Amino acid sequence: MSEYLAMGGYAAFVWPAYGVVAAVLIGLFVAGRCFQRATEAELAGLQPARRRRDAANEGIGDDEA
């Protein structure tokens, strides 16, 4: 097992590379979740305006469907 972890003498390069990749993937996941939550909050804020607009336009253009 220690031979595998030593990576044939290249462990000083391989393991930090794995660490950087893991950090980037975690960062992308966190950034994506933050963006998703912000977008969902923005859409939730727009819902009442849409309901008011739909209620105001009720009956207008119903014969077009």
Side-chain angles (χ1 to χ4, degrees), residues 1-12 15:
M1 185 67 169
S2 65
E3 207 173 296
Y4 171 75
L5 294 176
M7 298 279 178
Y10 295 103
W15 292 115

Side-chain angles (χ1 to χ4, degrees), residues 13-55:
F13 303 103
V14 173
W15 292 115
Y18 282 149
V20 168
V21 168
V24 168
L25 288 175
I26 291 169
L28 286 171
F29 177 77
V30 169
R33 292 288 292 166
C34 289
F35 179 76
Q36 178 185 11
R37 287 183 180 155
T39 303
E40 286 175 351
E42 184 179 352
L43 288 173
L46 293 174
Q47 279 298 100
R50 181 176 181 179
R51 287 188 190 125
R52 284 192 307 269
R53 186 190 63 205
D54 289 347

